[in-house]
Amino acid sequence: MAHWYIVSVVGKDRSGIVAHLSSALFENGCDLGEASMMRLGDCFTIMMMVRHDGNTHSLLQVVQPVAESMGLHVHVDKVDAHLHRHLEPDVHITVHGADRPGIVAQVTGALCEAGLNIVNLESDVGGSDAKPIYVMHIDGIATAGVPALESALAIVSKQGVQAKLNPIEIMIA
Amino acid sequence: MAKLEILTYPDERLKQVSESVEVFDQALRDFIADLEETMRAGPGGVGIAAPQVGCFQRIAIVDVSSKPKIEHHGRLVLINPEIVEYADFVKGREGCMSVPDYTGNVMRPDRITLEYFDEHGAQHTLQTSGFEARAIQHEMDHLEGLLFLDRLVSRRNDLFRRKVYQ
């Protein structure tokens, strides 16, 4: 019986990673679900839902040869996952500042205490080696309301980062 | 009054361009009543366009008055609508009754001036902005056979660009 797995792939970036992996999966009867694929540093990273009629070992046999041929590491987890389970975030938070250790821990720690459930987080380091800047985008659900999150961000902002919260109004028509 | 069936993507009919309304009669008003009932039956739906129920005429309804703390003009029946001025593009998140379980970011003008006819054939001009302007433009896209999927912008990297300028 087909089951959902999450396949993680990491390795040095080069062209053709997505095309080769997805072809191998398709040719072996697998379906892809939701996926996140992006370049982090000069590595390419993939996390994708794969529906496979077999077990973890048989899925690894599909993915591993093609991954290893491109110098990539693979990890497979069998998961109790389903499609059409999106949670809609109601706040978007942008954080930026001079890069330093601890920004994510401080900001997300304060937001967690104030009731934020993170749905999506993406961060980047820009600027230069001499003056790096950290930029983070968070989409989340304000389970304890927006004012609690704004209070948390006001405290965080005194520690040298700029943080801005915008409610997400989803227009459904 | 009757709730109508909503076409869902990838139904090809959603790509059809709608025709202008020429006759403002009771049949039109009866259809609009059904269209409005269909809109209000949807979860959180603040607008609907006739092509979403398989009627390819330039008719839309928008009512964002259920949203707290925004400026709006109440229930709007928009027939043969035309945007005559627009300004200030902004990004906002949209969903659609014809595209279940997916939302995405779309850039649209924040302020618009609109000319349209009501269900009795009277012509109106409306200036609006923000959430209501977004809803109106989303519905007008349906009249052109466009979905918000055709206008999606990335959720990533919308504040800073990676490129180094020097």
Side-chain angles (χ1 to χ4, degrees), chain A residues 32-54:
Chain A
L32 300 192
E34 296 162 21
S36 164
M37 310 191 191
M38 64 179 71
R39 197 179 139 97
L40 299 177
D42 56 0
C43 287
F44 197 72
T45 69
I46 297 177
M47 280 177 285
M48 56 186 167
M49 292 173 69
V50 175
R51 190 159 50 196
H52 170 63
D53 192 359

Side-chain angles (χ1 to χ4, degrees), chain A residues 38-39 83-86 88-89 92 94 96 122-124 133 135 137 139 168-173, chain B residues 44-47 52 67 93-97 101 103 131 134-135 138-139 156-160 162:
Chain A
M38 64 179 71
R39 197 179 139 97
L83 296 176
H84 313 298
R85 295 286 192 278
H86 289 112
E88 287 299 347
H92 179 83
T94 307
H96 61 91
E122 286 159 354
S123 69
D124 253 320
I133 58 168
V135 185
H137 288 276
D139 283 339
I168 299 175
E169 281 278 8
I170 301 177
M171 197 284 298
I172 302 207
Chain B
V46 298
Q52 287 181 278
K67 293 282 168 186
R93 194 159 306 188
E94 300 186 14
C96 181
M97 288 190 283
D101 193 42
T103 64
F131 196 82
R134 177 167 294 275
H138 176 112
E139 298 314 335
R156 281 203 99 201
N157 299 324
D158 51 357
L159 179 63
F160 286 78
R162 289 163 180 271

